[in-house]
Every structure is written in structure tokens, then in C-alpha cells.
Amino acid sequence: MPHSESPPESENSPIPMANVDQEQEDTVAESTTAQIPEAQQPADEDVDMTDSNAVLSAPTNGTTHTSESKAGSSAETPNNQDTPVPETATSAPSESKPATGVKLEELFDEMDSDDDEFPTTKAAKREPASSPDLLSSQSDMEIDLHEASDPEVMRTFYQRLFPWRYLFQWLNHSPTPTNDFGHREFAFTLQNDAYLRYQSFTTSDLLRKDVLRLMPSRFEIGPVYTANPRDRKTLRNSSAFRPLSKELCFDIDLTDYDDIRTCCDKANICQKCWQFITMAIKVVDTALREDFGFKHIMWVYSGRRGAHAWVCDKSARALDDQKRRAIAGYLEVIRGGAQSGKKVNLRRPLHPHLVRSLDILKQHFQSDVLEAQDPWRTEDQQEKLLALLPSDQKQLVSALRNKWASSPDRPSTLKWADIDTVAKTSTAKNFDTKSLLDAKQDIVLEYTYPRLDIEVSKKLNHLLKSPFVVHPGTGRVCVPIDVKRGLESFDPLGVPTVQSLIREIDEWKKPETKEGGQEQEVEKHVVDWEKTSLKGYIEFFRSFVIGLMKDEREIKVKREREEGGGGESMEF
Ligand SMILES: [Zn+2]
């Protein structure tokens, strides 16, 4: 069994809340109530933002949790044929039909029409943040640098652009409020960096109102609990308050690629190194769909240098920690952190998941690694490559070193080709072609295979930054990535910032209509996000949520039929 050597953490171990690295940007160490000192519990309802005792200390700059915490070993990867697959994952809930003829889309249209969640320009004119004064006196660059966390900018964003209703439907799995939403934990990072956990809301409007009141710079989403998170202290029996379900999440961050990317480091990214994320998404997404049968997988840009996956299928949400660890272990091949040494050393024959992954990754290796990153160009760098060749092929290694000595700065593409060319001319009697081929496959995987921060995936009660919040450092919105249609073309640096979006609202002109009589109607129906470049992202999110709710309803109808409950089911 994978991970059997890493025992579950004690419920009583202190939560490393202050250890969370803001630069790590996205995730917060999980905890249960028992792990938080009582004195630091946030006051439940009315939190005074100036009262630092009322909230937990903020995530501050600390150690990254990626390097030391990866407990698995490469031997536990898909090479291990025993890796359990969740038994629920294969039964796709698609057979039964909804009981009623009402289309979900129509239902939402109706609900949207009498709702002021997305005010139009007319209504929003009173908002100070959209006034020309705020945006015209400075250059765009200055605005982008200084005002991403400006309270008025954030207020405008939450008030006019954030897709509250779809966020609610996404987490609630139904248009009408259920415990899936009401017992869900939200955690706010306030403007003063205080961190407020165990917030919960019965409706999207109450969540929205509290966000507008507290103006968090961002917020995170935790699990659905057995009871309302706000009531946890009134529950005497600790087992009465425990996490029940949560999306299965994955986190990929470019800082874990610092030892192989040559174009950028730390918080910096460019289109070249973003390709590591692109290939990682392809591999993980494919495995989750083909090997585990998951259908509702949403990838979200983390706002700076990474991406998160939210696997939202009901079967994924119900996974316990052990199964989450098993899936994370199945996908983990590379351990990040260590700067030297061979990271990949796989058993043969390769697990089918790795054969398929290699197939996906080899073209990326050629163009995005060898050509774009040129990782072994210098003499120092080429030693890294030579160190990855089989240790018993010293002749080959020295022949290559000699060849490259006469042509300094030989590009990596040629050096990679040289390995085979030189190997073919080898005079060694027992030259082991197979071990060289295996080593080359290992190298391809080391330079392309997803580097996951699997701590995020292992536990039901891990919090993860919400989609569509603004990254305080870059001002960019954490938008979903359309993996089917827009993965290759996704440009993280082209993602709208909160400031650019507010400008777009102000600059929006209503489309010309041929018949004057329709003009008013056009204006009435255009909500603010539709006037901005957020439109495509929110529409994608909406269609994702509709697909999820549709399946969810089919599961429910099926279950009711099986139970013979039918119409008189216990629902109120
Ligand atoms: Zn780069």
C-alpha cells in the first residue's frame, strides 16, 4: 500500500497556521477545530477587523510546504500495481433521466432576472470605484501596481463582477440552498492579513454581503461539515463536527520547476515556462478521467504561477483521506525540492499511466524543454544531463563530454541527439541499449512530468483559494481554464486584472441596435461581467456548473427511484 509509512497526523498536533507561505499563494494548511488554540478562535459573528485577538494570525512568509512534505517515493507511483482505485469512481451516473421536464438553464434564467446580484451600469454609476477620477489620474501601470488590493477596487469587483450565483450553485449542486453550501467552510484573508476561518452561509447573497462587509483580499473554500461550521463550539461531542465531503483538489506551482526552468524563477513566469503547467494539466486531467472515471474537473489559474484542479464529481467529493492519499500517490512520480540527484527511477515495464503520459509529454519535451528551455547548454548544465545517464556507461559519458568540449554552448536539442549517435558508435562489448533507453525515458519524465503539491490533495479538510478571487500580488483574477478548447492558448499573463476589468466596464458601449425600440432591452440585460473580458470565463464556469448540477440531479433521481421514495422524499 502506498504511503503506509506516513501515519496520519495527530488530531492534536498544532496547526502551522503561521507557516503558510503567502508566496506559496494558494493553499492553507488544513486543520480541525481541535488543532486551533481556543484563544485564537475567531469571534463568530461580528469580527472587528481592528481587533487582532479576534482572528487567527495571518499566513506569513514561511517555509514552502512542497519540499519537505512529500512523503511518497517514486517506487509508489503507478509502477505499484496495487494502487487502489476508488470503487465509486467507475460508476458514472448517467443512466437515468431527470424526473421533470424543466431545463436547468431556464430555471437559472428565471432566477437571474429578478436578482440584483449583477447590477447594470446604470445602477453602478454611483459606485465610486468606477468613477473616472479613480482611473484617469494615473498611468495604467501605476494603477496595476498599487491598486489591486485597494478596498474600493475590491468592492467594485465583489459587487459587480464576482459570479456569486454560479459559485453558490457550484458548491451547492442545486439551485435551492442545501447543506452542501450551508455547512461549507469559507475562510477569509482580511486586508490586515488576519485569517478568519469557519465562516458559513446559507445563501450566496449572505456570503456576498459578508464579503462586502469584511472585504477580504481573498477567500478560501474548505469542506462541507456534518454541522454548520459556525455551530462547532456548541457541539460537545467532537465527532459531531467533522468534515464530510470536499472536491478532490490538485495544485501545480511553477516554483516546483525552478531546477529545470531556465527562463524565470521564483514568482516570475512567462509563456515559455507556463508550458510546464500546460503539460501537467494534460497528464493529470487525462489520468483523472481515464483511470478514475471523473467527469467534472475544473482547472483554475491560481493568479500568478500555477493552477488548481477541482474534481467535483460526487464520488470524488465523498473520498476519505486514505483514498485521496492513494490517488495522489498514484499520480506522484516526481518529488520536488531536492536540487540534485535523479528524481525519476521507474520500474519496468512502465505502468500504462506512465506509457500514456510519456506519449503526451514527449512532444512537449522536444519543443518546450529542449528548444525553449535549453536546459543543458552550458558546461555546468550538461553535467546534470550526464549524471542522469546510466552509471555503468562511463565510456558513453566520457565520449559525450569530449565531443561537447570542442563545441561550447552546443544546444540541448543537439546534445540530446548526440546521446544516441555516440551510443551507436560505442565499442563497449556489452553495451546495454535497454538501460540507456530507460534512462532517457526517465529523463523525459523528470523534465516534463507534473510536479504536484500533493499535500493539497491528500486531505478532505484542506482549504483552497476560491476560483474568481483576485490574486493580491498580480491583481489577476483566478479564472477557470477551458482545458478542452483553450488549454494550449491559455496565456496567464493575458488574464484580466481587476483594474483592467473595471476600466472595461466604464469603457463599454452598448451595441448598436437596428430598431430603436430594442435599445432599452439590450441595456437591461447586459450585466457588468458581460461587458468585460471576464465574460468568456464566467460563461465557461456557468456551463461547467450546469453540467455538474444536471448529473447531480440525475444521481438523486436515480437514488430516489431505487429507494422507492419517488415524490414523497424527505425534502424540505
Ligand atoms: Zn519563464
Side-chain angles (χ1 to χ4, degrees), residues 210-332:
D210 232 24
V211 165
L212 286 168
R213 181 173 66 89
L214 295 168
M215 294 293 288
S217 57
R218 62 179 203 189
F219 61 88
E220 272 135 15
I221 296 170
V224 178
Y225 286 89
T226 46
N228 189 328
R230 290 184 192 270
D231 296 338
R232 72 197 178 284
K233 282 193 271 185
T234 65
L235 301 164
R236 287 284 156 254
N237 184 355
S238 64
S239 66
F241 184 73
R242 58 190 164 78
L244 206 55
S245 67
K246 206 205 70 184
E247 291 74 11
L248 172 65
C249 295
F250 295 91
D251 179 20
I252 309 165
D253 191 300
L254 273 176
T255 42
D256 286 326
Y257 291 77
D258 277 356
D259 64 319
I260 55 169
R261 58 178 181 155
T262 58
C263 50
C264 311
D265 66 352
K266 295 176 183 142
N268 303 308
I269 65 158
C270 68
Q271 194 61 33
K272 272 187 194 174
C273 51
W274 181 258
Q275 297 315 309
F276 285 117
I277 304 291
T278 301
M279 54 185 106
I281 290 176
K282 277 190 199 171
V283 166
V284 174
D285 193 77
T286 304
L288 290 171
R289 288 176 199 278
E290 294 185 3
D291 301 348
F292 296 95
F294 296 131
K295 283 169 68 186
H296 301 283
I297 306 166
M298 180 169 63
W299 289 89
V300 179
Y301 175 47
S302 69
R304 180 174 273 174
R305 60 191 170 184
H308 300 151
W310 295 79
V311 185
C312 306
D313 300 58
K314 200 176 179 67
S315 59
R317 303 200 310 269
L319 294 169
D320 62 20
D321 283 353
Q322 194 192 354
K323 293 195 178 100
R324 284 169 202 256
R325 279 200 301 275
I327 295 174
Y330 177 93
L331 292 170
E332 186 186 42

Side-chain angles (χ1 to χ4, degrees), residues 152-164:
E152 284 312 314
V153 171
M154 288 311 297
R155 183 182 306 281
T156 305
F157 177 74
Y158 286 135
Q159 208 156 36
R160 299 170 60 182
L161 292 166
F162 195 93
W164 295 109

